[in-house]
Each structure stands twice: as C-alpha cells, then as structure tokens.
C-alpha cells in the first residue's frame, strides 16, 4: 500500500499570502495519479486537482498542482478567506490512499 | 444533476449490526464505481474500499478487509456499507463517493461527487 505523508501538518498564513503544501509518497505514484481535495468543517471533500496538475471544473486558477514520482505540491498563489481549510492528497494509481491532511489556518 | 444521498445518522450499541446506504441519481449508476471513505472524529480521510455496481466486484483497503462489507443493488441505484458487529472504534462519519471524474472525453478515478455523510455512533 502506498503511504502518503503530507507536510506541514498546519500552515498559518494571512489572506493574500502564498501557500505551498507538500505530499510525499512511499513509492512512485504511477502516471502521476495524484489528486488534491479541500475539506471545510461539516462538509464533504471537494476535488481540486487530479493527475497531479489538472484543475477540476470550477476550481479557481490560484490553485495549482505539480510534481511526479514521489513528490507532489499544491500551491495556492494568493489565499482568499474561503481557502482556509484542510487539504488532502490522494493517490489512485494503486488502489487508493489519502494523506493525513494539512490544515491551512488564518495567522 | 448528479447526487449521492446517504441514509441518516445511526446510534447503535456495541455488537449490533448496521447497514448504511448511498443512493445515486442523475447518472447511470452502473457506469461508475462507488467508494466508501471513513473520517473518524477530528481525523483525516481513509479509503475503505469500492464497488463496481455493474457486477458488484469489490476491492477493499487492507485496513478494512474483513471488517466491513460493501454491496450494491443496481436495480435501485444504491450502494451499501455494512458491519456485522459494531465496535466503539467504528464511530465516524462515513462518506460515499462516485469514482469517475470525466473531462475532455477522458475519465479519471477521482471523486467529484460525494454523499453528505452518515454519522455512526456506537455507545452502550
């Protein structure tokens, strides 16, 4: 089973700042089958990015994904108030697993 | 509009059995796999397993194999997650999700559509 490790656990930033979230896999993720989700309290997760760098429909372009192999990054170029949430990476190349999440909180 | 509607919150005693449901609408139910995801209180997402509603083929995460059963009734577009004997450690929110986000003529095994979640509480 592929284990995904996200860092940092918590990111304290101010609106307008840039957020960089990391996701590292225990083994190579085939074909960059790596997705990112956003979850707010009391809500189901929301798909942001798939195939490491493709934005899902309706996702603002301030969200971008990059990486391949075992190292992936989600970047939020300028944080909006509604972006403060928990973010999860997910690999779907070998069954499925999620990372443990990164909380982006208001500083 | 694609919708996944889950059954309501449950309160059960340890040792009791339980089946929760997830009804799909607005799309061809047999064309997309359904996954179940656990979220324990204050914790992250855990993929439990999936089912292909067209033939009921299932795949489980090693962590959940043997502890839960995933099934589906394609005649009523509904997937199920069931336990034969609940434990206190089963307390969680459970989400179903449709695997299969399609864009530009291709489909990807990620989940754009999720149910609203079913909260399972186990208490004596």
């Amino acid at each position: 089973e592929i284990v995904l490790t996200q860092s940092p656990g918590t990111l304290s930033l101010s609106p307008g700042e840039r957020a960089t979230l990391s996701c590292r896999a225990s083994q190579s993720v085939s074909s960059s089958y790596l997705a990112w989700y956003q979850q707010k309290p009391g809500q189901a997760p929301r798909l942001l990015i798939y195939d490491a760098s493709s934005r899902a429909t309706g996702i603002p372009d301030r969200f971008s994904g990059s990486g391949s192999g075992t190292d992936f990054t989600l970047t939020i170029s300028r944080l909006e108030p509604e972006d403060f949430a928990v973010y999860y990476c997910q690999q779907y190349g070998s069954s499925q697993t999620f990372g443990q999440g990164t909380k982006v909180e208001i500083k | 509009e694609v919708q996944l509607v889950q059954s309501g919150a449950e309160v059960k005693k340890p040792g009791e059995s339980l089946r929760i449901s997830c009804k799909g609408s607005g799309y061809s139910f047999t064309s997309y796999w359904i996954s179940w995801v656990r979220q324990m209180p204050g914790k992250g997402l855990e993929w439990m397993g999936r089912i292909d509603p067209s033939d009921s083929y299932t795949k489980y995460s090693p962590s959940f194999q043997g502890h839960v059963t995933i099934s589906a009734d394609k005649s009523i577009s509904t997937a199920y997650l069931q336990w034969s004997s609940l434990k206190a450690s089963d307390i969680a929110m459970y989400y179903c999700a449709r695997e299969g986000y399609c864009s530009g003529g291709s489909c990807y095994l990620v989940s754009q559509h999720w149910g609203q979640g079913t909260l399972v509480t186990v208490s004596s």
Side-chain angles (χ1 to χ4, degrees), chain A residues 84-103:
Chain A
F84 292 92
V86 180
Y87 293 84
Y88 295 95
C89 58
Q90 175 206 44
Q91 68 79 23
Y92 49 99
S94 173
S95 193
Q96 275 198 31
T97 48
F98 287 96
Q100 83 280 17
T102 290
K103 182 179 182 180

Side-chain angles (χ1 to χ4, degrees), chain B residues 2-20:
Chain B
V2 173
Q3 282 195 311
L4 296 172
V5 178
Q6 297 185 227
S7 50
E10 301 274 2
V11 180
K12 292 288 191 179
K13 292 181 167 49
E16 290 188 328
S17 63
L18 175 65
R19 188 178 77 168
I20 62 175

Side-chain angles (χ1 to χ4, degrees), chain A residues 19-65:
Chain A
T20 303
L21 288 66
S22 173
C23 177
R24 179 162 290 178
S26 60
Q27 55 189 281
S28 185
V29 177
S30 61
S31 304
S32 295
Y33 287 151
L34 193 286
W36 291 91
Y37 295 82
Q38 176 194 69
Q39 188 181 33
K40 296 180 180 178
Q43 297 184 15
R46 174 192 181 199
L47 176 66
L48 300 175
I49 301 286
Y50 63 96
D51 278 9
S53 61
S54 298
R55 269 188 302 276
T57 303
I59 301 303
D61 60 8
R62 63 179 181 273
F63 291 92
S64 63

Side-chain angles (χ1 to χ4, degrees), chain A residues 1 33 35 37 39 42-47 49-51 55-57 88 90 92 95-100, chain B residues 35 37 39 43-47 50 59-63 95 99 101 103 108-112 114-116:
Chain A
E1 181 177 272
Y33 287 151
Y37 295 82
Q39 188 181 33
Q43 297 184 15
R46 174 192 181 199
L47 176 66
I49 301 286
Y50 63 96
D51 278 9
R55 269 188 302 276
T57 303
Y88 295 95
Q90 175 206 44
Y92 49 99
S95 193
Q96 275 198 31
T97 48
F98 287 96
Q100 83 280 17
Chain B
S35 280
V37 174
Q39 188 165 39
K43 302 298 183 183
L45 305 172
E46 300 173 90
W47 185 77
R50 66 159 71 101
K59 184 174 179 65
Y60 294 91
S61 162
S63 301
Y95 292 101
E99 285 192 30
Y101 168 74
S103 176
Y108 308 86
L109 290 180
V110 293
S111 297
Q112 185 184 36
W114 294 69
Q116 81 277 19

